[in-house]
Amino acid sequence: MRVFWTVVARELVRFIRSWQLVLVVLYAFTMEVYIAGSGIELKPRNVAIGYVDESGGGLSQKLLHYFHEPEFLPPVAFSSQSALSQAVFDKEIILGLIFDEDFERTFRKNKHATLNVLLDATAASQAYTTLSYLSNIVLNFSDTAFSVELVTHKLFNENANNATFMALTELLSITTMLSVILTAVVFVKEKEDGTWDIMLLMPVDAKSIILAKSFSQVIIVMIGIVISIGFVVFGAFDTPIHGSFIAFLVLAFFYAFTGAGIGLFVAAVAKDVMQVAQLSVVIMLPLIFLSGAWTPIYAMHPWLQTLSLLSPLRYFIEGTESIFFRGTPVLELYPYFLGVFSVGSILYVIGFRKIGHLF
C-alpha cells in the first residue's frame, strides 16, 4: 500500500507541476460547463421576424405586438411575398408571416382566417420550438374554445430553465472526456519521455503501478467535478438538488473509473499523445450519442435503444438527473449504480488486461 500511495502522490505532483494541463482541466470543469449552460438555448431567442400585411387592417398589427423580446426581435415589414421569401433564403429572418387581403374580414366573420407562415428549418430544433410559440400566440389571440380545459403541470423543472440541464449534461460529457484522456496520457507520456523502460525495471508489481496511475487521475477528475458543481452548477446557475449529493459523488466515482478503464485501453494502443486524442474521440462520440445526452433514448431507433445499454454514460446521466431533479431515494438508484458498475467494471478489466500485456 505504501508503494501504491507513493505512485499516486507522484502522479498528482506531476500533474500540479504541469500548469498548462491544470489550466486546461480547470477551464473544462468551469468555463466550458458555464458556456454550455448559459450559451446553448433550446427555446427561441432573438428570432428575426418579417411579415407582409396585405389585409390593410389593425388586427394583423395587434397580433404582431405579441412577438416581443427576448424571444423575438421587432417584426420587419416587407413589400411583397417574394421579398419575404428571399429574406428567409438569405437567412435575414427565420420566421415570415403573410397576412392576405381577406385575413381580417374572414377572422371577424367566422374566426377561421388563414395565416401563411414561412419558417427557416435549417436549425430544426429552434424552428420547431418557434412554431410552437407561434401556435400558442395565435390560439390565445383567437380565444379558441376547447371542449376540455387544458391544465399544464411542469415536473422537476417548473421554470423550464434549460441552463440547469445543459450545465449538468456538459459536466457529465467533460467527465467522460477527461477521465479517458488524462488516464491515457499518463501512460503515453512515459513512452514519449523515454521512461517506459525505466518504469518496467522498477521493483514494483505492475498491477500496483497501473492501479495507482489510473487512481490518481480519478482523484483529479473527482476534484474537478466538486469544483464544477460548487462554483458553476450550484453557484452560477443555482441548480437545485433534491436527492443525495453523496450518492451523486459515489456514482461519479464509479463512472470516473469507467473512463479510466477506457483510457487504459487507449494508452495500450496509442504511441503518442496525438493518437490518444484521435482514439479518444473515436471511442467517446458513440458513448455520448448513445447516452441520451443529446437525443432522448425513447426517440432513438429500437436497435440503437438496445445498443445504448452498453453506454455507461447513459446510466450516469439518468442517475444524475434522478438525483438532482427527481429526488429519487438512494435505494431506488440501484439500476444506475448497477449499470455504471457492471459496464464500468468490464471496460476497466479490458483496459487493465490490455495495458498489462505491455509490462
Side-chain angles (χ1 to χ4, degrees):
M1 290 300 296
R2 187 179 65 178
V3 173
F4 174 84
W5 289 110
T6 300
V7 176
V8 170
R10 172 180 176 269
E11 294 302 328
L12 293 177
V13 170
R14 288 183 62 183
F15 173 78
I16 295 174
R17 288 178 177 175
S18 179
W19 61 269
Q20 301 95 330
L21 186 57
V22 172
L23 290 179
V24 170
V25 172
L26 287 177
Y27 171 83
F29 277 113
T30 54
M31 290 303 300
E32 189 71 23
V33 176
Y34 178 80
I35 291 172
S38 61
I40 299 178
E41 287 287 347
L42 300 180
K43 57 185 179 181
R45 179 72 58 167
N46 297 326
V47 175
I49 297 179
Y51 68 95
V52 176
D53 189 2
E54 298 176 351
S55 64
L59 191 61
S60 58
Q61 296 300 316
K62 184 177 179 180
L63 190 147
L64 289 171
H65 278 93
Y66 283 82
F67 299 93
H68 52 74
E69 297 179 341
E71 289 84 6
F72 304 97
L73 295 176
V76 178
F78 286 82
S79 59
S80 64
Q81 294 186 25
S82 60
L84 181 65
S85 300
Q86 187 62 40
V88 174
F89 182 83
D90 294 336
K91 293 187 175 295
E92 296 177 6
I93 64 170
I94 297 177
L95 177 65
L97 304 176
I98 302 174
F99 303 93
D100 56 29
E101 296 179 353
D102 299 328
F103 175 77
E104 183 168 357
R105 185 186 319 111
T106 306
F107 180 84
R108 294 191 183 281
K109 183 178 180 180
N110 54 23
K111 291 190 176 182
H112 286 86
T114 299
L115 175 62
N116 297 312
V117 179
L118 298 177
L119 191 64
D120 180 5
T122 51
S125 60
Q126 282 279 1
Y128 178 77
T129 310
T130 299
L131 186 60
S132 299
Y133 270 61
L134 174 61
S135 300
N136 289 330
I137 290 173
V138 173
L139 287 175
N140 292 332
F141 178 78
S142 60
D143 193 24
T144 301
F146 289 93
S147 57
V148 295
E149 181 181 1
L150 299 178
V151 179
T152 302
H153 295 279
K154 295 180 181 178
L155 302 178
F156 314 125
N157 188 10
E158 292 80 1
N159 294 326
N161 183 10
N162 67 283
T164 57
F165 171 78
M166 293 306 302
L168 270 178
T169 301
E170 184 66 15
L171 171 60
L172 305 187
S173 299
I174 290 295
T175 301
T176 304
M177 179 183 70
L178 290 183
S179 59
V180 173
I181 293 179
L182 289 178
T183 304
V185 167
V186 163
F187 289 93
V188 173
K189 286 293 289 182
E190 300 281 3
K191 298 179 183 179
E192 288 190 335
D193 296 340
T195 57
W196 184 268
D197 293 335
I198 299 176
M199 183 176 63
L200 297 180
L201 296 175
M202 293 173 59
V204 181
D205 183 42
K207 296 179 180 178
S208 297
I209 296 178
I210 298 173
L211 286 173
K213 283 179 171 290
S214 59
F215 182 72
S216 65
Q217 305 311 302
V218 171
I219 293 176
I220 293 172
V221 171
M222 290 302 300
I223 293 174
I225 291 175
V226 172
I227 292 174
S228 182
I229 289 291
F231 288 98
V232 182
V233 177
F234 288 160
F237 297 116
D238 194 24
T239 302
I241 179 170
H242 301 295
S244 171
F245 183 65
I246 300 300
F248 166 73
L249 291 180
V250 174
L251 186 65
F253 182 78
F254 287 155
Y255 183 73
F257 257 108
T258 302
I262 299 174
L264 291 177
F265 180 85
V266 172
V269 178
K271 297 180 180 179
D272 51 44
V273 175
M274 182 62 68
Q275 287 190 3
V276 167
Q278 295 170 343
L279 291 173
S280 298
V281 170
V282 171
I283 293 175
M284 287 186 298
L285 284 181
L287 293 180
I288 295 175
F289 289 147
L290 294 173
S291 66
W294 295 343
T295 302
I297 300 295
Y298 59 79
M300 297 180 181
H301 191 276
W303 69 269
L304 286 179
Q305 294 183 28
T306 303
L307 198 60
S308 69
L309 296 174
L310 301 178
S311 174
L313 183 56
R314 169 183 176 172
Y315 306 107
F316 189 30
I317 290 177
E318 292 179 352
T320 300
E321 291 178 353
S322 297
I323 292 171
F324 273 81
F325 300 128
R326 297 180 176 86
T328 304
V330 175
L331 294 179
E332 297 181 13
L333 293 172
Y334 73 91
Y336 313 118
F337 280 92
L338 183 62
V340 171
F341 184 78
S342 58
V343 177
S345 298
I346 294 173
L347 293 176
Y348 190 87
V349 169
I350 292 175
F352 190 93
R353 291 175 61 88
K354 182 68 175 179
I355 199 168
H357 292 319
L358 301 181
F359 282 82

